[in-house]
Amino acid sequence: MMHIDVLSLFPRYFCGPFDESIIKRARDKGLVDISLVDIRDFTDNKHRRVDDRPYGGGPGMVLMPHPVVEAIRSVKTADTRVVYLSPQGKPFTAAKARELSQCQHLVLLCGHYEGIDQRALDSEVDEEVSIGDYVLTNGCAAAVVVVDAAMRFIPGVLGDERSAEEDSFEAEGLLDWPHYTRPPVFEGREVPHVLMQGNHKEINKWRYAEALKKTRHIRPDLLE
Ligand code: 4FV
């Protein structure tokens, strides 16, 4: 079973995303164990302060090193992978999601304020990952994205294993083909006939062609 510790200043942030739908079912089925750690529980001052002003000046506050390293060390073992979510990280991809899904123990460190004291990162973090080139109010949202994407690669999490294998970006690295279901005609718009004929060779050819067309149009970079 994969064990994930999510370290943040807002453990309650995760109550919704981790207690619904596929993630909830996976936890209930014992396919993954997710624990929420409050970094503020590891402060060394009676005011439970976790942030302070940046050396060298500038706007905002910085997360202090002590509570961060103590929080990480409180859960870290020999086979732990510590991932810090930050805009300075490597772009998060399906390949990274699959890689992280194979970890026995994953620690996700969620930033806040302007960032975390670099000495804590140098001391305890294995890698930095970014979910995109924009700035969030805190790293918790990024941790939800990483947990959700990684868990889909854990056998038994998705109803049908094929789903993760046939994902966008997985099969051939293309965007997905268009999907249709009943009714056969909706507001005058019909379902493409090839999908109604039951000829799976023709269906797969059509789907691949549609995926390629969409990828060329929306994400030509994926074809390079
Ligand atoms: C982020 C990202 C992100 C930066 C300041 C939290 C925020 C605050 N994390 N991918 N993009 N983090 O914007 O992962 O500390």
Side-chain angles (χ1 to χ4, degrees), residues 63 84-89 110-116 129-143:
L63 240 168
Y84 171 41
L85 289 310
S86 100
Q88 284 68 47
C110 306
H112 191 47
Y113 309 114
E114 296 308 308
I116 296 177
V129 169
S130 171
I131 64 164
D133 298 340
Y134 40 77
V135 179
L136 304 167
T137 61
N138 75 62
C140 296

Side-chain angles (χ1 to χ4, degrees), residues 1-6 18 22-23 26-27 31-34 81 83 85 92-108 127 129 131 141-158 161 163-165 167 170:
M1 171 171 54
M2 180 182 189
H3 183 68
I4 304 175
D5 280 295
V6 183
F18 294 166
I22 292 172
I23 295 183
R27 297 175 81 184
L31 295 170
V32 63
D33 176 36
I34 303 176
R81 168 90 68 91
V83 174
L85 289 310
F92 185 54
T93 63
K96 178 56 72 175
R98 180 193 289 274
E99 181 195 324
L100 294 179
S101 75
Q102 281 137 17
C103 295
Q104 263 312 302
H105 182 213
L106 182 61
V107 168
L108 295 178
E127 63 180 303
V129 169
I131 64 164
V144 171
V145 168
V146 169
V147 167
D148 190 295
M151 281 181 55
R152 299 178 74 260
F153 291 102
I154 298 173
V157 167
L158 292 181
E161 292 318 316
S163 300
E165 301 317 317
D167 263 357
E170 282 309 300

Side-chain angles (χ1 to χ4, degrees), residues 70-86:
E70 290 310 312
I72 293 171
R73 291 170 186 165
S74 74
V75 294
K76 197 173 183 177
T77 62
D79 65 355
T80 300
R81 168 90 68 91
V82 180
V83 174
Y84 171 41
L85 289 310
S86 100

Side-chain angles (χ1 to χ4, degrees), residues 113 164 177 203:
Y113 309 114
W177 50 71
I203 289 169

